[in-house]
């Protein structure tokens, strides 16, 4: 059976937007000073309402970037590929996305690196429609599986979960349905049989009784059970060449994100939600958003460092399902560095004394 990959037209309706208090594009990618004398930088992501990205959102809204002398603009683009393209073109200085993209990019001859790990688990689940007799990825043979975008981390993990449970890659159909309302609509209108997604989409589907969870990767334990090891989620990725000539800016970015991770570690889901733009939980409702966040607070990485053995797990997963990575020699030591976050931790420790 040939593998059919379809992009749902509804996903294309998502327009580039910015977080409240942020604006602008990456421009020519050159950092400079704004009118207040702050160093300007742009960080790109896709689907900013994803709870995986809260460390970035809070770093801005709580003033951690400004405390570091940075004026950070956040570009919310339509897809992971657009985010990656913007980084490689120098239109933005950093991107927030899964660590696994660094391996994929290295296989393509690009040199990027994660400089701080925001999540120690994917924060994802695989769900099946409640009217389908799907109890695990093993039941997905011949089924249509929704993901945020083709080539995204949801598609990587959706592929691997099926393959790991004995379903060949050409026996499932991946469909790009974005996230949020379009993902929910795909379940509601039976465009998909199952899907891989994140919060708050997970809780919305559960609340509407449209889906059930078949694989839960919102915790370290759940991730290890599903994938056979730790699989880190979102991180801040930069081009290695840019980082080499802008170490001070990278350090300030990491300092701010580390402060955000520490703040999340010491606050409740309710307190975190109180700092989030209201439109982030408009679809699910504030109380459902809080509960969804409480269910996955353990996915955030308070140390900001790469979990032990995590790069090896990612390489194993991608080597099984990503034709770009499969058969290539990947130097994992060049896909991430803990140097900046170790410095951030040291500085934060001194500041607390």
């Amino acid at each position: 059976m040939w593998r059919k990959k379809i992009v749902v037209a509804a996903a294309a309706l998502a327009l580039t937007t910015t977080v409240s208090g942020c604006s602008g594009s990456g421009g020519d990618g050159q950092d400079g000073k704004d009118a207040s004398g702050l160093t300007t930088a742009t960080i790109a992501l896709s689907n900013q309402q994803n709870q995986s990205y809260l460390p970035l959102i809070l770093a801005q809204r709580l003033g951690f970037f400004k405390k570091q002398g940075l004026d950070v603009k956040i570009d919310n683009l339509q897809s992971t590929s657009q985010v990656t393209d913007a980084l490689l073109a120098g239109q933005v200085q950093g991107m927030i996305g899964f660590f696994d993209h660094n391996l994929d990019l290295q296989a393509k001859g690009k040199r990027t690196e994660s400089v701080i790990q925001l999540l120690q688990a994917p924060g994802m689940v695989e769900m099946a429609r409640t009217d389908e007799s799907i109890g695990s990825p093993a039941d997905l043979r011949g089924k249509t599986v929704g993901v945020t975008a083709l080539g995204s981390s949801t598609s990587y993990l959706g592929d691997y979960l099926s393959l790991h449970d004995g379903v060949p890659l050409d026996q499932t159909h991946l469909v790009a349905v974005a996230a949020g309302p379009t993902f929910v609509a795909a379940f509601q209108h039976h465009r998909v049989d199952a899907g891989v997604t994140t919060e708050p989409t997970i809780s919305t589907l559960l609340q509407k009784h449209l889906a059930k969870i078949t694989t839960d990767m919102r915790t370290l334990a759940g991730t290890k059970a599903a994938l056979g090891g730790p699989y880190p989620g979102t991180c801040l990725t930069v081009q290695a060449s840019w980082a080499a000539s802008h170490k001070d800016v990278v350090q300030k970015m990491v300092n701010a994100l580390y402060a955000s991770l520490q703040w999340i570690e010491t606050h409740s889901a309710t307190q975190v939600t109180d700092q989030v733009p209201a439109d982030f939980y408009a679809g699910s409702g504030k109380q459902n958003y809080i509960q969804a966040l409480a269910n996955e607070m353990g996915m955030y990485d308070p140390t900001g460092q790469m979990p032990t053995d995590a790069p090896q797990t990612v390489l194993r997963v991608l080597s099984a399902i990503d034709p770009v990575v499969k058969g290539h020699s990947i130097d994992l030591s060049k896909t991430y560095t803990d140097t900046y976050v170790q410095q951030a931790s040291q500085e934060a420790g001194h500041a607390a004394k």
Side-chain angles (χ1 to χ4, degrees):
M1 184 186 295
W2 60 281
R3 186 156 211 222
K4 190 176 180 182
K5 291 186 173 183
I6 310 167
V7 178
V8 174
L13 296 177
L15 299 176
T16 300
T17 58
T18 53
V19 179
S20 302
C22 300
S23 61
S25 63
D28 61 4
Q30 300 300 313
D31 56 294
K33 301 284 186 179
D34 67 6
S36 302
L38 300 176
T39 299
T40 59
T42 303
I43 298 176
L45 50 69
S46 175
N47 181 27
Q48 67 186 10
Q49 296 182 355
N50 186 326
Q51 290 183 348
S52 301
Y53 301 145
L54 284 180
L56 173 68
I57 304 303
L58 293 173
Q60 187 186 63
R61 292 179 66 82
L62 296 175
F64 295 140
F65 283 126
K66 285 190 176 180
K67 186 177 180 180
Q68 293 294 322
L70 298 177
D71 176 13
V72 170
K73 297 178 175 60
I74 299 175
D75 270 2
N76 183 41
L77 305 180
Q78 287 180 240
S79 66
T80 301
S81 61
Q82 288 184 347
V83 173
T84 303
D85 289 346
L87 180 72
L88 296 178
Q91 296 169 347
V92 302
Q93 286 70 55
M95 75 174 189
I96 299 292
F98 264 49
F99 166 70
D100 52 24
H101 294 299
N102 288 281
L103 279 69
D104 183 79
L105 288 170
Q106 188 183 121
K108 295 174 180 174
K110 309 298 181 182
R111 180 77 167 84
T112 63
E113 61 184 0
S114 164
V115 292
I116 180 172
Q117 196 62 46
L118 305 182
L119 300 189
Q120 56 188 345
M124 295 177 180
V125 305
E126 185 160 69
M127 311 183 79
R129 290 205 331 253
T130 51
D131 60 346
E132 285 279 353
S133 56
I134 298 173
S136 74
D139 300 322
L140 293 176
R141 190 181 302 270
K143 300 295 186 179
T144 300
V145 180
V147 296
T148 55
L150 304 182
S152 68
S153 296
T154 55
S155 69
Y156 290 156
L157 293 184
D159 270 346
Y160 185 78
L161 289 172
S162 296
L163 187 65
H164 183 263
D165 276 21
V167 181
L169 295 182
D170 63 354
Q171 297 295 308
T172 58
H173 308 280
L174 289 189
V175 179
V177 290
T182 54
F183 198 98
V184 173
F187 272 74
Q188 193 166 24
H189 299 293
H190 294 187
R191 297 192 189 110
V192 299
D193 303 302
V196 181
T197 190
T198 56
E199 294 286 10
T201 307
I202 298 166
S203 291
T204 300
L205 286 166
L206 292 174
Q207 179 191 8
K208 294 178 179 292
H209 304 291
L210 293 172
K212 57 190 175 184
I213 295 174
T214 57
T215 305
D216 196 334
M217 297 174 286
R218 290 177 292 181
T219 65
L220 272 174
T223 301
K224 289 179 179 179
L227 304 177
Y231 198 100
T234 53
C235 64
L236 173 64
T237 290
V238 298
Q239 287 202 74
S241 58
W242 181 82
S245 58
H246 296 81
K247 290 184 178 180
D248 57 334
V249 179
V250 176
Q251 187 64 64
K252 290 176 180 178
M253 286 179 171
V254 171
N255 289 349
L257 289 170
Y258 179 76
S260 186
L261 288 171
Q262 291 293 297
W263 189 90
I264 291 172
E265 178 72 2
T266 56
H267 289 77
S268 68
T270 298
Q271 291 171 318
V272 171
T273 303
D274 285 340
Q275 300 299 324
V276 171
D279 61 318
F280 277 36
Y281 48 77
S284 60
K286 187 173 183 178
Q287 289 307 311
N288 288 326
Y289 185 94
I290 291 171
Q291 185 58 55
L293 183 58
N295 291 339
E296 61 177 8
M297 287 288 278
M299 71 179 178
Y300 298 108
D301 187 347
T303 72
Q305 297 190 45
M306 181 64 66
T308 303
D309 297 330
Q312 289 79 6
T313 301
V314 175
L315 179 59
R316 173 170 51 79
V317 168
L318 294 191
S319 294
I321 53 90
D322 184 355
V324 174
V325 173
K326 189 174 184 178
H328 281 77
S329 177
I330 302 296
D331 186 344
L332 293 175
S333 68
K334 293 182 179 179
T335 60
Y336 74 98
T337 177
D338 283 333
T339 301
Y340 294 103
V341 74
Q342 289 170 350
Q343 179 64 29
S345 175
Q346 183 178 358
E347 291 180 9
H350 286 314
K353 293 179 181 179

